[in-house]
Amino acid sequence: MLKKYEKVYKEDYQLWYEENKDYREKVSKDPRRLQFHLMPETGWMNDPNGLCQFKGIYHIYYQYTPFEPTGELKLWGHYTTKDFIHYKMDDPVLFPNSDYDAHGAYSGSAFVENDEIHFFYTGNLKFFDRDDYDYINSGRGSNTITFSSKNGHDFSEKELLIPTDRYPSDMSNHIRDPKVWEQNGVYYMVLGARDQEGTGMLLLYESKDLKNWSYKNRITTEEKFGYMWECPDFFEMDGEQILMSCPQGVETRGIDFENVHQCTAMKINYDFDTDEYEITDLKLMDRGFDFYAPQTFLDEKGRRILIGWMGIPDAEYTNPTTDMGWQHALTIPRKLSIREGKLIQEPIEELKQLRGDEKITLLFREDKKISKTNYVYEAEIAFEKCNNMRIELRKGIFLFYEDQTLTLDLGSYGAGRTTRKVRLEELKSLQVFADTTSVEIFVNGGEEVFTSRIYSLEGCLSIEGNCHGQMTIYPLNAFAIEGGYDEE
Ligand code: FRU
């Protein structure tokens, strides 16, 4: 095991990898490993990082602690794919090996321009020289760092762009997760931030050359919304400016903000000349238990694709896979759009290639229970009418619709987590992606989504209630992943 707060070089990792074949074998035998989601080969995975498509290849980097399942020292892991079905697991690319990032190569993003990928990330430092540090306003470093690549695999030297002491003076030590874009010849960067008073916000920087960055403004809601906003993203889509981020410390309001930390989208009307802005339409990105730190990018087809972390930090439950030496996964990729003013998430169409041949179509009518045994599947359910209904998604895991409220109920299969809800004017359709230990439910064509890990391993799929409609069920095949334990 590597020491907790010491730099880790590529050579240390390679040595550790050679010595840990048994660890990989143990993890690979866990029946809870997922079939069509990206996971850590061993240890811990969190945020997707540096998402981009470069010369036809999608690069999916991610926060990675291969050494143990509870996440400590963060590296960047790396998957690549051309089609979101066949993947290659590559070696980790970014190590906490410099004086600016020795305690974690934290989250960051990619910006592609002129045959080059420019990466921006946060170098995390924890200082141990004094015992009066609170690690909020003192004792931590959050350096904004860049490096670049001409192929996604070989990288330039790291270059420090904004050191911890150069952020606005009223900020705490918690500044991180840069996301960069270009607009009208100017480069912009948003960073997640917490000020010294404990107010969550974003810092906006601008640059003419991607190297020299100057502070431009801070962005936050009129009323305080949490103490820290992590993992921001800012993009224009279908004529709207969207700001996504992950506010921490927001109080639960009824059935909203029930998770320990949130992931929200807001519409923003930002005037880059005057720095005036208006924030409207705040929305929870996901209604399930396990969705955080999503990142979006524009692919070569012009799609705005989102991938999120299928997990959440500081959750008060123990993920059962921890015992087998691993935790967490990424969500399936989703295409974003705006429909009738609403932010929509839909599974990307490539995933249809995972569908097996034995498709089943069922018509259901009032009070008639239909039951099929299914395990790893996609189900499309179109309702002609639905006053109430109950679907068993997997043995002991239910989705209820009653009094215009849709409830996901994990029963005794949620490792202590039970229900999450959303209010709907009407339930029109559901699209369910069920993997061995996860479920992603797209409601009314992607207007709402529930993403959760689930731990019932017995197949079962039934629908009953005062509702009419049609359900189509497809068995799903697994991703093909090259590299890793099976190929050694
Ligand atoms: C979000 C986050 C980021 C940070 C990273 C560290 O999950 O806390 O803010 O950069 O994870 O792994």
Side-chain angles (χ1 to χ4, degrees):
M1 186 66 72
L2 295 165
K3 296 221 182 88
K4 206 161 159 186
Y5 289 113
E6 267 180 21
K7 289 178 188 164
V8 172
Y9 295 85
K10 189 170 186 174
E11 299 71 38
D12 299 324
Y13 167 79
Q14 283 168 337
L15 191 63
W16 174 89
Y17 195 85
E18 276 166 32
E19 288 170 353
N20 279 276
K21 190 160 190 249
D22 291 354
Y23 184 12
R24 291 194 284 288
E25 186 178 348
K26 173 179 165 182
V27 172
S28 74
K29 290 202 172 125
D30 188 351
R32 291 164 297 200
R33 296 289 279 174
L34 296 154
Q35 306 282 318
F36 60 94
H37 287 86
L38 298 179
M39 297 167 289
E41 186 178 27
T42 54
W44 163 281
M45 166 189 261
N46 58 300
D47 317 353
N49 290 154
L51 299 183
C52 60
Q53 187 180 19
F54 187 67
K55 302 190 175 171
I57 296 177
Y58 293 100
H59 291 271
I60 302 167
Y61 305 91
Y62 57 92
Q63 289 285 283
Y64 187 26
T65 306
F67 316 114
E68 33 86 42
T70 47
E72 292 290 343
L73 195 58
K74 301 293 167 61
L75 280 52
W76 278 30
H78 189 196
Y79 281 104
T80 52
T81 178
K82 285 185 185 154
D83 57 8
F84 288 114
I85 303 294
H86 303 85
Y87 290 83
K88 195 163 174 300
M89 194 176 75
D90 287 294
D91 287 339
V93 299
L94 191 63
F95 295 86
N97 59 5
S98 80
D99 289 343
Y100 307 129
D101 64 3
H103 304 143
Y106 272 15
S107 281
S109 58
F111 173 71
V112 175
E113 191 178 62
N114 297 338
D115 282 345
E116 200 161 0
I117 317 176
H118 301 269
F119 295 91
F120 301 86
Y121 77 102
T122 302
N124 176 55
L125 294 177
K126 269 194 167 178
F127 304 118
F128 300 105
D129 54 322
R130 280 175 30 191
D131 43 20
D132 60 337
Y133 288 141
D134 65 1
Y135 298 103
I136 296 173
N137 291 317
S138 57
R140 276 183 85 131
S142 304
N143 294 304
T144 300
I145 305 172
T146 190
F147 61 98
S148 63
S149 175
K150 294 210 154 94
N151 59 15
H153 297 277
D154 302 301
F155 302 92
S156 69
E157 290 290 304
K158 298 170 180 174
E159 214 179 308
L160 178 61
L161 293 177
I162 315 174
T164 308
D165 57 5
R166 291 254 306 282
Y167 300 112
S169 59
D170 60 332
M171 288 298 133
S172 73
N173 289 169
H174 287 263
I175 312 272
R176 56 182 166 266
D177 312 332
K179 176 82 200 241
V180 169
W181 76 101
E182 183 268 344
Q183 210 170 292
N184 300 325
V186 183
Y187 303 107
Y188 295 99
M189 176 194 287
V190 271
L191 284 156
R194 166 183 186 149
D195 73 5
Q196 286 172 12
E197 310 269 288
T199 300
M201 61 184 64
L202 304 182
L203 301 183
L204 178 65
Y205 279 72
E206 65 183 343
S207 170
K208 292 242 149 57
D209 56 7
L210 292 174
K211 298 280 180 201
N212 297 288
W213 290 89
S214 44
Y215 170 70
K216 186 169 166 63
N217 201 8
R218 61 194 64 194
I219 302 176
T220 192
T221 41
E222 260 169 50
E223 229 177 87
K224 174 173 159 166
F225 191 58
Y227 58 75
M228 168 72 193
W229 292 11
E230 293 191 315
C231 301
D233 199 343
F234 188 113
F235 51 89
E236 239 182 84
M237 187 175 63
D238 303 338
E240 306 271 8
Q241 289 174 329
I242 306 289
L243 192 62
M244 263 179 10
S245 69
C246 295
Q248 303 192 315
V250 175
E251 272 171 39
T252 305
R253 290 177 211 158
I255 61 167
D256 292 334
F257 315 125
E258 287 199 87
N259 290 341
V260 55
H261 301 312
Q262 316 307 321
C263 177
T264 59
M266 307 167 185
K267 284 188 187 165
I268 182 166
N269 199 342
Y270 198 97
D271 184 327
F272 286 85
D273 295 324
T274 62
D275 285 321
E276 282 168 15
Y277 63 90
E278 197 192 355
I279 288 177
T280 57
D281 299 271
L282 179 114
K283 177 181 169 44
L284 262 176
M285 284 295 291
D286 198 280
R287 311 294 308 197
F289 290 96
D290 295 293
F291 184 85
Y292 200 75
Q295 200 176 85
T296 74
F297 68 103
L298 261 194
D299 81 347
E300 289 166 1
K301 290 187 186 145
R303 298 180 293 181
R304 172 82 37 199
I305 295 182
L306 171 147
I307 298 177
W309 172 26
M310 196 152 58
I312 209 158
D314 309 319
E316 281 176 9
Y317 92 111
T318 304
N319 186 323
T321 65
T322 316
D323 287 349
M324 287 298 277
W326 71 284
Q327 274 204 80
H328 304 311
L330 300 182
T331 67
I332 54 172
R334 301 157 186 196
K335 183 172 99 64
L336 297 188
S337 61
I338 305 277
R339 194 194 304 140
E340 290 165 10
K342 293 181 186 151
L343 182 60
I344 303 294
Q345 299 180 59
E346 291 166 288
I348 55 164
E349 61 181 16
E350 283 90 330
L351 296 173
K352 288 188 181 149
Q353 295 169 52
L354 293 176
R355 292 174 178 176
D357 294 333
E358 311 85 52
K359 157 177 151 181
I360 302 164
T361 301
L362 309 165
L363 288 175
F364 51 88
R365 287 276 171 263
E366 266 158 63
D367 294 329
K368 187 170 158 208
K369 181 169 168 160
I370 288 177
S371 214
K372 290 277 158 203
T373 305
N374 248 294
Y375 187 44
V376 173
Y377 66 86
E378 178 191 341
E380 285 184 316
I381 304 157
F383 295 97
E384 281 156 35
K385 172 196 112 173
C386 184
N387 292 330
N388 59 63
M389 63 97 209
R390 184 178 93 147
I391 298 179
E392 191 162 13
L393 295 166
R394 176 75 55 87
K395 185 158 188 296
I397 296 179
F398 294 94
L399 198 58
F400 297 99
Y401 183 63
E402 211 172 27
D403 300 330
Q404 292 185 306
T405 304
L406 185 66
T407 304
L408 173 66
D409 188 346
L410 306 187
S412 54
Y413 296 101
R417 297 118 31 108
T418 53
T419 59
R420 285 290 179 269
K421 297 170 191 281
V422 70
R423 279 208 45 96
L424 302 173
E425 266 169 35
E426 196 188 341
L427 177 59
K428 293 179 255 178
S429 71
L430 294 167
Q431 189 176 6
V432 179
F433 282 80
D435 202 336
T436 35
T437 51
S438 74
V439 68
E440 283 155 286
I441 303 162
F442 297 82
V443 183
N444 290 348
E447 283 178 18
E448 302 286 350
V449 189
F450 287 80
T451 303
S452 272
R453 297 302 296 284
I454 53 175
Y455 301 101
S456 159
L457 287 175
E458 214 174 304
C460 174
L461 180 58
S462 69
I463 181 161
E464 60 188 311
N466 185 347
C467 55
H468 297 175
Q470 179 173 313
M471 165 146 76
T472 308
I473 308 158
Y474 305 88
L476 291 184
N477 295 315
F479 281 167
I481 302 186
E482 242 182 78
Y485 173 73
D486 287 341
E487 304 213 337
E488 284 168 38

